[in-house]
Amino acid sequence: MPIPSYITYGFTVEKKGASPKLINQVHGNNVLSLTEGATPSATDADAVITPQGNAYVFTADCLPVLFFSEDRESPVAAVHAGWKGLKARVIQTVWDELQDLPGPWHVVLGPCLLKCCFEVKADFIQAFTQSDIDVSDFIENREGKTFFDPLSFVLQMQLPEEVILHRKEVTCTKCNPKNLPSFRRTGGTDPHIKAWIKKLVQK
């Protein structure tokens, strides 16, 4: 399915501070609705919904998720989905706000830590269990270590079937040969990935 001509998006590596924060990302499920002409206030949130078509989040192993509609009047959204955000159902929280707006709706998934490198401990599984989420189908044991498959988890557990999925940008941030920003690899988030989506101005 082609991307509508009025939608543009990307996953850009940039130095921390190169773009101002739209939100203060806290690994939760709060969503900032940024209305036309409003000034960002770095509210504690992990997703931005805006009709202006200029939404973005920052990642360095967490999964960036971008939403857009084939209806030009509908907003766009950018989501920062780390494992704590997934546990808090941040993607579903965004979808709850978008699903009744005109569609069809598309979702773009970007670079993140994948099952090849997403090593976890017992407390990780327990945290999901305490939130009534069973991740056992997405856990793999290899060479005495335990790994989580976030992509399969999101596709099967958190994204609705009716969205049109785009995932050609999905690659592992830690072991990708392009040296994408990865907290697991470097221990820092500078630089980071700016996951952005815009609606072009109608002429």
Side-chain angles (χ1 to χ4, degrees), residues 13 33 37 42 60 174:
V13 177
S33 294
K174 184 177 179 182

Side-chain angles (χ1 to χ4, degrees), residues 34-200:
L34 195 60
T35 57
E36 191 78 40
T39 301
S41 59
T43 301
D44 286 355
D46 284 275
V48 179
I49 296 175
T50 177
Q52 300 175 88
N54 186 16
Y56 55 86
V57 292
F58 302 114
T59 63
D61 280 340
C62 297
L63 173 66
V65 184
L66 308 175
F67 285 86
F68 68 87
S69 170
E70 291 181 26
D71 187 292
R72 191 165 191 152
E73 300 306 312
S74 290
V76 295
V79 187
H80 162 253
W83 74 265
K84 292 181 180 178
L86 295 178
K87 180 173 67 70
R89 300 173 173 86
V90 63
I91 296 173
Q92 292 160 291
T93 301
V94 172
W95 180 242
D96 286 345
E97 296 199 24
L98 298 177
Q99 62 181 331
D100 292 330
L101 299 176
W105 282 94
H106 294 241
V107 169
V108 181
L109 302 178
C112 66
L113 196 67
L114 294 178
K115 66 177 180 179
C116 50
C117 298
F118 203 144
E119 185 179 357
V120 300
K121 304 296 183 184
D123 58 347
F124 173 94
I125 300 172
Q126 291 169 0
F128 277 89
T129 300
Q130 290 169 358
S131 294
D132 295 322
I133 301 174
D134 182 3
V135 294
S136 58
D137 287 343
F138 311 100
I139 296 295
E140 179 181 334
N141 294 304
R142 302 195 306 266
E143 300 177 352
K145 298 179 179 179
T146 304
F147 295 85
F148 175 61
D149 184 352
L151 184 59
S152 294
F153 175 78
V154 167
L155 294 179
Q156 295 181 40
M157 301 288 288
Q158 302 225 322
L159 280 175
E161 293 182 358
E162 60 262 40
V163 300
I164 300 166
L165 186 65
H166 305 262
R167 55 176 179 172
K168 68 175 184 178
E169 306 286 352
V170 176
T171 187
C172 183
T173 44
K174 184 177 179 182
C175 65
N176 185 276
K178 294 182 180 179
N179 270 345
L180 292 170
S182 169
F183 181 82
R184 291 277 185 122
R185 189 178 64 247
T186 66
T189 59
D190 190 7
H192 53 199
I193 297 171
K194 178 182 178 181
W196 55 272
I197 185 164
K198 294 181 180 180
K199 282 195 298 186
L200 301 178

